Amino acid sequence: MLEYNTQLKKLVLPEYGRNIQKMVDYCQTIEDREERTRCAYAIITAMSNLMQLQKNSGALNKLWDHLAIMSDFNLDIDYPTEIILQESLNSQPEAINYQNRDFSFRHYGKYLEQMIYSATQYPEGEERDALIL
């Protein structure tokens, strides 16, 4: 019987594909810690080849984070870098406090409204008429 992607387990990070996910799943089944660590390094090499990342430390940290995420943080290996915490994945940033100011005509924006107000403060004359135009 054929396997369809709709029948298979959902991919955690689909940008790496099903084969990388299968390699991570296999790596979790290896009992020897040193062998598991070697397997993880091989997976990171394959992931970096897929993503065409430069070999700088920031990109490698990202790959190790992705490996931990794909293994659902269950991969017990010696990580060469500090990995992301599971709790910080779903955290939301702090809300940004905006100035809630009422606009008479929101579609014109606050700057145009301020310009009109400034023009009304000028004394009667040519300059005020020019600003109004």
Side-chain angles (χ1 to χ4, degrees):
M1 183 170 201
L2 294 173
E3 282 186 347
Y4 294 103
N5 283 341
T6 56
Q7 298 169 338
L8 297 175
K9 181 175 86 171
K10 189 173 187 312
L11 295 176
V12 179
L13 294 174
E15 59 266 23
Y16 291 109
R18 192 159 303 279
N19 288 329
I20 296 290
Q21 183 65 50
K22 285 181 181 179
M23 287 198 282
V24 172
D25 293 341
Y26 169 74
C27 188
Q28 289 177 334
T29 62
I30 298 173
E31 293 187 18
D32 184 29
R33 185 180 175 94
E34 291 179 17
E35 184 66 29
R36 199 170 39 240
T37 304
R38 278 198 299 272
C39 181
Y41 274 94
I43 293 171
I44 291 296
T45 303
M47 289 166 66
S48 66
N49 288 338
L50 277 176
M51 289 298 161
Q52 295 295 317
L53 297 174
Q54 281 119 16
K55 304 278 184 185
N56 61 13
S57 63
L60 286 177
N61 289 349
K62 186 178 194 180
L63 290 176
W64 285 105
D65 288 343
H66 288 177
L67 180 66
I69 293 168
M70 289 173 75
S71 68
D72 200 25
F73 297 93
N74 294 330
L75 194 59
D76 183 29
I77 60 169
D78 299 323
Y79 288 98
T81 63
E82 194 67 33
I83 61 167
I84 191 169
L85 298 175
Q86 188 172 10
E87 297 82 33
S88 64
L89 279 180
N90 297 326
S91 64
Q92 293 185 354
E94 293 181 24
I96 299 174
N97 296 325
Y98 291 107
Q99 294 177 353
N100 290 333
R101 199 170 149 272
D102 291 332
F103 294 106
S104 302
F105 302 99
R106 290 186 67 85
H107 53 281
Y108 289 126
K110 71 176 183 179
Y111 293 118
L112 187 61
E113 193 172 313
Q114 288 173 354
M115 287 170 47
I116 293 170
Y117 177 74
S118 310
T120 60
Q121 300 305 312
Y122 275 84
E124 293 286 335
E126 279 186 30
E127 193 173 3
R128 180 177 176 178
D129 292 339
L131 288 172
I132 290 173
L133 285 176

